[in-house]
Amino acid sequence: MEFGIFSHMHVPHDDTEHARFLRELEVSEAADAAGFKYDWAPEHHFLERYSHQPAPEVYLSWVAARTKRIHVGHAIVNITAPVNHPVRVAERIATMDHLSEGRVEFGTGRGSSSAEWSGFAIPSAAETKPMWQEAIEQIPRMWREEYYAYEGKYFRVPRRWITPKPYSKPHPPLWVACSSPPTFTLAGELGLGALCFTTGTAAEVADHVRNYKDAIRRCTKPIGEYVNDHIAVTTNMLCLQDGDEARWLYSRARTGQFLEYLLPVARFGPPAAAAPEGGARADPRADAGRPGGAAPARRQPGRRSRGDRRGDQGV
């Protein structure tokens, strides 16, 4: 098992974009120094507060320049032609692969909501599926062939020399964002790595993993030059030396506010107003910490209570 971080660029109302970018970079550098394997960054457009990360190729290039080991991962690049022309995607990924000396992970997708699709004049979610399929089939060809030409439904390229070719041989690992059972199966059948969130129960996530592994065993003709048999699952985490301290701090984190920004994005509406002090909002600590739902009392960092277990590294 390998660990990474997710540089999402969530910007709360009481924060600024500039401060948040600098903070994300600080965390990325710390993750590299601590030995984390991945720094994933999404691509989102037009989403207020939820994610102000529309140009992950710029952000991740900066991370690559300031780090030594961590892999810079796109989670994802929107490869539908109206959003990012596939030739430009191939050029940018290959360039970043050279500058990072082979630390790029190429995750792909097609956008998160109608706020994004319609912003680029894509008529429906259904239309993004064949757009993605066309692009993911063609980008490895652009890297593989000396001269490339293509006449497709959503984009066309006359015979051209596409440069640079990737530093990694034959190319960086290919991934796709998965949010439904059919997508996990498709990812496996195409030999792509699967990127997902921990939505649903642990049993439901286990089903997704099982479906993916079953499908990838059947893969005989991967989209890329090889099968990327990996699944990356994103969840919230806080890891400290002191388990109780980690639980106490996490119970005060505004994860609920983050979700309030996520849920309305498809409706174009503003985030739900925060409940006033003393209002009806449930205490976020209700299910954190010790049995019975009580949040652990705060203690001095580094001090362990009698009931602590050795090796407890937080949540």
Side-chain angles (χ1 to χ4, degrees):
M1 182 180 293
E2 297 165 320
F3 292 90
I5 62 171
F6 199 71
S7 299
H8 200 272
M9 267 300 291
H10 165 56
V11 182
H13 282 287
D14 58 353
D15 207 345
T16 67
E17 290 174 324
H18 183 69
R20 202 66 178 186
F21 270 121
L22 296 182
R23 176 60 176 163
E24 294 278 14
L25 287 170
E26 182 182 353
V27 173
S28 296
E29 291 182 87
D32 178 61
F36 281 69
K37 174 68 178 289
Y38 301 104
D39 184 1
W40 298 98
E43 177 185 339
H44 285 301
H45 305 274
F46 318 122
L47 304 184
E48 181 185 0
R49 303 295 174 185
Y50 171 64
S51 177
H52 292 212
Q53 187 72 283
E57 69 280 2
V58 178
Y59 177 83
L60 291 173
S61 293
W62 187 246
V63 171
R66 296 170 68 99
T67 57
K68 298 297 184 183
R69 295 177 298 275
I70 201 165
H71 284 218
V72 285
H74 283 273
I76 48 75
V77 182
N78 187 328
I79 61 172
T80 59
V83 180
N84 288 296
H85 194 287
V87 169
R88 296 292 291 121
V89 174
E91 293 169 338
R92 292 197 298 258
I93 294 296
T95 299
M96 189 186 302
D97 195 39
H98 279 277
L99 296 178
S100 68
E101 296 190 303
R103 290 186 282 145
V104 171
E105 305 284 334
F106 179 34
T108 67
R110 53 193 179 89
S112 68
S113 70
S114 59
E116 297 191 270
W117 307 320
S118 62
F120 290 98
I122 299 174
S124 69
E127 195 77 3
T128 65
K129 293 181 181 180
M131 288 180 178
W132 172 84
Q133 184 82 34
E134 184 177 59
I136 194 62
E137 290 173 354
Q138 293 304 310
I139 289 173
R141 276 194 58 208
M142 299 175 193
W143 290 332
R144 181 175 63 246
E145 298 176 6
E146 184 175 7
Y147 285 93
Y148 171 84
Y150 179 68
E151 288 286 331
K153 180 177 180 180
Y154 298 105
F155 72 96
R156 298 169 178 79
V157 181
R159 188 172 184 267
R160 292 292 185 271
W161 186 313
I162 296 178
T163 61
K165 304 304 182 187
Y167 174 85
S168 301
K169 303 304 178 190
H171 54 67
L174 306 179
W175 304 72
V176 62
C178 299
S179 59
S180 64
T183 316
F184 283 91
T185 300
L186 177 64
E189 291 173 345
L190 297 179
L192 302 172
L195 299 166
C196 66
F197 286 93
T198 51
T199 54
T201 65
E204 289 170 334
V205 174
D207 284 341
H208 294 327
V209 173
R210 186 162 43 251
N211 291 339
Y212 171 76
K213 292 297 184 179
D214 288 344
I216 208 162
R217 280 193 289 269
R218 301 192 299 268
C219 177
T220 57
K221 295 182 179 180
I223 284 285
E225 298 298 308
Y226 59 93
V227 171
N228 182 24
D229 184 3
H230 289 86
I231 184 165
V233 182
T234 301
T235 191
N236 296 319
M237 182 191 74
L238 176 61
C239 182
L240 299 175
Q241 290 292 331
D242 187 291
D244 276 356
E245 182 71 6
R247 281 183 282 271
W248 187 87
L249 289 172
Y250 188 83
S251 74
R252 298 174 63 84
R254 290 174 295 178
T255 54
Q257 185 184 46
F258 175 79
L259 293 176
E260 287 169 8
Y261 293 127
L262 168 62
L263 297 176
V265 294
R267 301 196 301 268
F268 299 94
E277 289 294 327
R281 175 172 293 177
D283 185 347
R285 295 175 293 176
D287 59 354
R290 297 172 178 169
R298 188 174 191 185
R299 298 180 292 104
Q300 291 295 321
R303 297 183 62 186
R304 308 185 71 84
S305 67
R306 183 177 299 175
D308 287 342
R309 299 190 306 273
R310 289 289 180 183
D312 182 359
Q313 297 296 306
V315 295

